[in-house]
Amino acid sequence: MKCSKCGYDYPARETKCPYCGEPNKLGMEWEKEEDETRKETLLTKAKVLHSMPLYVANKIMNIILLLAVVLLVVLFIVFFILGYVDEKHTEHQKRLASVEAAEEIFRTGDNAALDAYLHEYEVYAEDGYEKYTERVDIYDRYSHFIEDVMDLREKSDWESDKTPRAYEVEDILYYAHEILLQDDYRISEIEFQENQKYFSEIQQNTIATLMGTLEMTEEEVNEFVKCDRYYDEEETFVKMIFERKGWEYEEN
């Protein structure tokens, strides 16, 4: 284009005449538009860059939530399947069990085998198996008592350099108290005659064990049965047993 002042010919994008310096309005408008376009471009880029972390964070959160929901659904399905399988297994085991088989084991006097049978075939405390459940409950109480007594005997016989702890004797007295007073809901009332006889023998064996292993007298056993096992009376018997056995008593 030509300069309106001096007539010099120059590109239209120039903001002024390079010869005389006369301002070129057209070139100035183009420059202004380019500046505005450049500013808008930079602003748009800044907005995009600013929004990217939030966008990515939202995407990540959505993915996490989706995975959590999927995991919960999978867990629900797995637990449902496991519960269903366990229920079917229990039903199958119960169908395999029979009162006749339980009675046969009962008559052998093998209470450990009877206990295993009732639990393996899921018929413990089921209708028709009350007598066998009652026998197993008595056996369970007595077996805990005997196990603690045997542990104490083993320590006394083979580890003479080690003194039993007070709680070990307390555990023995705890189970003895339950047996002698039937102080447990599972053996509070013995319904079946065979089990009444068995339980009577268990009580006699328990008394004999207290008098033998713990060297308690008959009078002391009678006093022990009357005492409250949760208070100082029981501790008195524990200390007495330790003193009589020559063991050093230490508080638990």
Side-chain angles (χ1 to χ4, degrees), residues 39-58:
K39 288 179 181 179
E40 288 180 0
T41 301
L42 292 174
L43 182 61
T44 301
K45 288 182 178 180
K47 289 181 178 179
V48 170
L49 291 174
H50 178 72
S51 62
M52 279 296 289
L54 183 60
Y55 173 79
V56 173
N58 287 335

Side-chain angles (χ1 to χ4, degrees), residues 12 42 120 140 163 252:
L42 292 174
E120 179 181 355
D140 179 66
T163 299
N252 291 325

Side-chain angles (χ1 to χ4, degrees), residues 42-239:
L42 292 174
L43 182 61
T44 301
K45 288 182 178 180
K47 289 181 178 179
V48 170
L49 291 174
H50 178 72
S51 62
M52 279 296 289
L54 183 60
Y55 173 79
V56 173
N58 287 335
K59 283 293 185 182
I60 293 174
M61 286 301 299
N62 290 336
I63 293 173
I64 292 175
L65 289 174
L66 179 61
L67 290 176
V69 171
V70 171
L71 180 60
L72 287 175
V73 172
V74 171
L75 288 175
F76 176 79
I77 294 173
V78 169
F79 283 125
F80 177 80
I81 293 174
L82 290 176
Y84 178 79
V85 171
D86 183 66
E87 181 181 355
K88 291 300 179 182
H89 174 73
T90 300
E91 293 176 358
H92 175 70
Q93 290 296 91
K94 287 181 179 180
R95 286 195 296 269
L96 294 177
S98 68
V99 174
E100 291 76 13
E103 179 66 25
E104 185 176 347
I105 300 173
F106 181 83
R107 291 184 180 280
T108 66
D110 190 346
N111 297 307
L114 182 62
D115 187 10
Y117 182 85
L118 296 185
H119 287 91
E120 179 181 355
Y121 290 96
E122 308 284 353
V123 290
Y124 175 86
E126 291 291 323
D127 292 341
Y129 294 87
E130 293 86 352
K131 180 173 71 173
Y132 315 111
T133 298
E134 186 178 75
R135 172 61 66 89
V136 165
D137 286 339
I138 299 171
Y139 166 76
D140 179 66
R141 294 291 87 190
Y142 186 62
S143 63
H144 283 301
F145 172 74
I146 289 299
E147 286 173 7
D148 288 342
V149 170
M150 294 304 295
D151 289 342
L152 186 68
R153 285 178 179 174
E154 183 177 354
K155 182 170 291 188
S156 302
D157 293 341
W158 300 102
E159 301 181 31
S160 57
D161 58 324
K162 293 184 179 180
T163 299
R165 301 296 300 274
Y167 74 85
E168 295 176 292
V169 176
E170 289 173 0
D171 287 345
I172 293 174
L173 295 181
Y174 174 87
Y175 289 116
H177 206 280
E178 280 193 342
I179 293 170
L180 296 178
L181 283 184
Q182 296 181 239
D183 193 14
D184 182 271
Y185 74 95
R186 290 177 294 179
I187 58 174
S188 59
E189 294 183 7
I190 308 300
E191 178 182 355
F192 298 92
Q193 185 176 358
E194 300 99 316
N195 292 334
Q196 290 173 357
K197 181 180 178 181
Y198 171 70
F199 188 67
S200 178
E201 294 173 356
I202 291 297
Q203 289 179 315
Q204 293 302 316
N205 291 340
T206 300
I207 293 173
T209 301
L210 293 177
M211 296 176 65
T213 302
L214 300 185
E215 299 181 7
M216 297 175 67
T217 66
E218 186 175 352
E219 292 77 12
E220 289 168 345
V221 171
N222 291 331
E223 290 179 15
F224 163 71
V225 172
K226 297 176 184 178
C227 82
D228 191 329
R229 66 186 180 192
Y230 297 109
Y231 291 98
D232 295 336
E233 292 91 334
E234 184 185 69
E235 185 177 357
T236 300
F237 282 99
V238 174
K239 290 180 178 179

Side-chain angles (χ1 to χ4, degrees), residues 28 30-41:
M28 293 174 68
W30 280 350
E31 185 179 53
K32 183 179 179 181
E33 289 179 0
E34 287 181 351
D35 288 342
E36 290 178 353
T37 301
R38 185 165 53 254
K39 288 179 181 179
E40 288 180 0
T41 301

